[in-house]
Amino acid sequence: MGPRIIACGTGPPERILPATNDMIGLEDSYSDVIAKAQRGLGLDDSALALKARLSIPGLHRLKGGNPEHGPLTQVAEALRLDAESLFALAEGRYEPEASAPEGEFAGISTPYADFFVNAYLVWQGDSGTAIAFDTGANCSGLLRIAKSNNVKIDRIFLTHTHPDHIAELRRLREVTRAPIFVSAEERILEPRTNVIIPGSPSRSGGITVTARSTPGHSPGGLTYVVEGLSRRYVIVGDALFAGSMGGVPASDYESSRKAIRTQILSLPDDSVVCPGHGPLTTVGLEKLHNPFFAGTASRS
């Protein structure tokens, strides 16, 4: 069963629909994973073909939608990816099973350009307060869910400041008057922000939010571990996706993978991972099925 509340589809940007994860496709295909690993390792197609013992036309066929097991395994080995996880992506066999209880959590997915971006809301009804993570392209869903649950958004935490994640930051701040928290390394035009230090907890009602440093996709990328509810939620921004990770330049690739392993995948397996794009997943699922991390810990 997937998340109970998430906006998706082609309706109004703020529309909230009940959904299961099979209605929310993975952010990246197996070809996207290969391209991200290539970029991270600084390999063009010629270099990758040589390293994987393939012809360049053979590599292009593989990347273009013909994932034969042998060549895909060779490419996975060359890129230090888990071959079986990559093949499962290629065959459409990985659909993460993750859920979030009603009454304390909502994921809102809004269209931005030609893709969707996620924002999240957590709350405790008896406290009367809620916490928002990023804004997405339209914060109306966040505001409406808060209102329908009789809670007020009293804090806004930013995973990073790429435009799709903060498109409605000024509006959300103006409506809620909530303080904004962000890493010191992130560039942001919004003048009234508070710097959050990784490792220092922030409390709202009975909810504790602790930031962890996961740079790479963005210089000051933060992951937020949310505790005090019925599940542990891990708001990861674009550091990690179900079955993939965010795009990272070669200069930051190894350090980014290390940060994901130590700051996210070190958490208990049942922790609900809430990415900036695509469906919910869990720490345990990504350790088993993410090509960047499954079976590669000793080689990374």
Side-chain angles (χ1 to χ4, degrees):
M1 181 178 181
R4 292 290 300 172
I5 302 177
I6 196 158
C8 60
T10 58
E14 72 280 3
R15 187 177 180 187
I16 306 297
L17 299 174
T20 56
N21 269 356
D22 59 5
M23 294 174 65
I24 307 166
L26 295 177
E27 173 65 11
D28 286 343
S29 68
Y30 80 95
S31 295
D32 295 325
V33 168
I34 290 172
K36 286 182 175 181
Q38 273 190 261
R39 178 188 179 195
L41 293 173
L43 299 174
D44 61 17
D45 279 358
S46 296
L48 177 56
L50 181 64
K51 192 172 183 180
R53 307 180 306 282
L54 294 173
S55 67
I56 291 179
L59 177 62
H60 289 170
R61 284 195 300 273
L62 175 73
K63 293 172 66 177
N66 295 284
E68 297 178 17
H69 196 278
L72 193 65
T73 298
Q74 292 166 230
V75 166
E77 290 175 352
L79 294 174
R80 290 186 288 142
L81 298 171
D82 182 70
E84 288 307 312
S85 299
L86 189 62
F87 200 64
L89 282 182
E91 291 190 324
R93 289 187 283 111
Y94 183 43
E95 296 180 1
E97 292 289 332
S99 62
E102 294 183 20
E104 66 177 32
F105 172 91
I108 297 90
S109 187
T110 48
Y112 184 92
D114 59 349
F115 55 89
F116 281 77
V117 58
N118 299 338
Y120 297 97
L121 192 73
V122 300
W123 68 93
Q124 283 184 325
D126 56 359
S127 73
T129 59
I131 302 170
F133 296 90
D134 295 345
T135 73
N138 188 322
C139 69
S140 294
L142 292 170
L143 294 169
R144 187 171 60 258
I145 292 171
K147 182 178 180 180
S148 66
N149 285 276
N150 297 310
V151 291
K152 175 180 173 55
I153 297 173
D154 74 343
R155 299 185 186 204
I156 303 166
F157 290 94
L158 304 180
T159 61
H160 62 301
T161 57
H162 288 173
D164 52 321
H165 289 262
I166 63 167
E168 289 243 288
L169 182 59
R170 188 172 293 274
R171 178 186 169 210
L172 186 60
R173 195 277 312 276
E174 289 175 350
V175 172
T176 64
R177 300 187 180 275
I180 300 164
F181 296 87
V182 66
S183 166
E185 285 76 28
E186 286 295 289
R187 295 188 177 190
I188 188 167
L189 297 176
E190 175 61 51
R192 283 171 282 183
T193 58
N194 300 276
V195 171
I196 188 164
I197 306 300
S200 59
S202 176
R203 294 180 176 86
S204 175
I207 300 174
T208 300
V209 177
T210 305
R212 294 188 170 201
S213 180
T214 48
H217 179 74
S218 186
L222 292 175
T223 286
Y224 296 102
V225 180
V226 181
E227 297 176 294
L229 298 167
S230 66
R231 303 288 299 274
R232 177 185 293 103
Y233 299 101
V234 190
I235 317 295
V236 298
D238 289 358
L240 182 69
F241 302 140
S244 188
M245 62 181 283
V248 178
S251 58
D252 297 319
Y253 183 62
E254 297 301 343
S255 60
S256 178
R257 293 183 72 186
K258 181 178 180 180
I260 292 168
R261 290 195 308 271
T262 60
Q263 301 301 314
I264 300 175
L265 299 183
S266 62
L267 290 163
D269 284 356
D270 62 353
S271 303
V272 179
V273 175
C274 310
H277 306 274
L280 301 180
T281 183
T282 68
V283 166
L285 286 171
E286 294 313 300
K287 286 163 62 175
L288 288 173
H289 302 294
N290 190 308
F292 287 100
F293 303 103
T296 64
S298 63
R299 292 186 278 134
S300 300

